Amino acid sequence: QVTLVESGGGLVQAGGSLRLSCAGSGSIFKLNAMGWYRQAPGKQRELVAQITQITSSTERIDYADSVKGRFTISRAENTVYLQMNSLKPEDTAVYYCKARNLGRDFWGQGTQVTVSS
């Protein structure tokens, strides 16, 4: 079992910044992928950004088109970060961390991000 704990959400004005963190713990063999998803009220959960380990020295980073140039994902061991700049009201959502361990996906409990106009 893998536990993911997110932090860093909150209320910010449009144009502001927030940094989300997600720390993984538990029975971790190797977290092949870690990323962030979000779900706004009445909408489906969507990918925001993800880091996938391709080889021991190569990783692939994917971003949703809507956040490219504004958000940056990074990772240090079993912790993944999401630096969010130039936030817009449409970025308001619950942000969830996801990690893959031995082919199984695990989710965090979510952290609320609210961007006021």
Side-chain angles (χ1 to χ4, degrees), residues 8-21:
L11 173 64
V12 65
Q13 288 188 331
S17 299
L18 284 173
R19 188 181 191 226
L20 305 183
S21 299

Side-chain angles (χ1 to χ4, degrees), residues 1-66:
Q1 187 72 12
V2 174
T3 301
L4 301 172
V5 178
E6 300 118 332
S7 60
L11 173 64
V12 65
Q13 288 188 331
S17 299
L18 284 173
R19 188 181 191 226
L20 305 183
S21 299
C22 170
S25 63
S27 302
I28 295 174
F29 174 72
K30 181 178 175 62
L31 297 180
N32 300 97
M34 296 191 77
W36 292 93
Y37 287 68
R38 68 186 181 187
Q39 187 166 18
K43 294 188 176 181
Q44 290 189 327
R45 192 173 296 189
E46 63 176 2
L47 172 69
V48 177
Q50 179 167 278
I51 296 178
T52 303
Q53 201 72 34
I54 305 300
T55 68
S56 60
S57 58
T58 305
E59 61 185 21
R60 185 183 76 228
I61 296 179
D62 297 297
Y63 291 101
D65 288 341
S66 59

Side-chain angles (χ1 to χ4, degrees), residues 94-114:
V94 177
Y95 283 70
Y96 296 91
C97 174
K98 189 183 90 168
R100 175 161 294 179
N101 183 53
L102 295 176
R104 183 181 170 188
D105 290 336
F106 295 87
W107 293 88
Q109 79 286 356
T111 185
Q112 177 71 45
V113 171
T114 302

